[in-house]
């Protein structure tokens, strides 16, 4: 059985960007310049400046993702009215409770327990 493979592209949320933060100190200057070029950032400077520029770009992208809420896509089908789930029949109306259901006599526990009379 074959499945169609689709590539899902989405923006990172704050949590995923924190978890996926990469340490750039172990990369070479050539690799850092390649990363900066792929992001459209200037590639001049020493290794420390290149790393700082990449980190600032990541932070700015994270802050923009937090400020801009995701855009809702239009629905392909009309929305169901509130309280109605599509494909599920509506629940029957609730039955009224019996009248004697709510009449409950509770004993008064402050009074002494009456003793049953004993015939002598």
């Amino acid at each position: 059985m074959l499945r169609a493979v689709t590539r899902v592209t989405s923006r990172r949320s704050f949590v995923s960007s924190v978890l996926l933060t990469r340490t750039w100190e172990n990369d070479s200057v050539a690799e850092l310049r390649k990363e900066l070029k792929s992001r459209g950032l200037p590639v001049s400077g020493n290794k420390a400046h290149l790393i700082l520029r990449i980190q600032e770009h990541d932070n700015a992208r994270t802050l923009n993702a937090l400020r801009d809420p995701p855009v809702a896509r239009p629905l392909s089908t009309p929305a169901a009215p509130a309280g109605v789930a599509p494909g599920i029949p509506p629940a029957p109306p609730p039955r009224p409770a019996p009248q004697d259901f709510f009449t409950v006599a509770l004993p008064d526990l402050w009074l002494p327990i009456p003793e049953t009379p004993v015939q002598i």
Side-chain angles (χ1 to χ4, degrees):
M1 179 154 110
L2 296 174
R3 291 188 299 172
V5 178
T6 59
R7 184 175 180 174
V8 177
T9 58
S10 64
R11 296 189 323 191
R12 293 182 187 172
S13 67
F14 179 68
V15 175
S16 66
S17 65
V18 169
L19 293 175
L20 298 176
T21 300
R22 185 173 165 193
T23 56
W24 298 100
E25 287 79 15
N26 298 333
D27 290 350
S28 67
V29 174
E31 291 170 340
L32 293 173
R33 286 190 173 144
K34 183 178 176 184
E35 180 66 27
L36 285 165
K37 188 174 182 181
S38 70
R39 295 179 184 212
L41 299 173
V43 294
S44 61
N46 60 11
K47 185 173 183 175
H49 286 117
L50 300 178
I51 292 172
L52 182 65
R53 199 173 296 138
I54 291 173
Q55 289 173 343
E56 287 175 350
H57 182 259
D58 284 343
N59 290 340
R61 209 169 48 175
T62 302
L63 292 176
N64 287 339
L66 288 176
R67 271 188 252 138
D68 301 334
V71 178
R73 295 182 356 197
L75 298 174
S76 59
T77 58
V84 176
I88 300 175
R95 295 183 302 186
Q99 293 300 324
D100 60 341
F101 182 76
F102 294 109
T103 54
V104 177
L106 296 175
D108 189 3
L109 298 177
W110 289 100
L111 299 175
I113 300 173
E115 295 180 14
T116 56
V118 179
Q119 188 176 12
I120 303 183

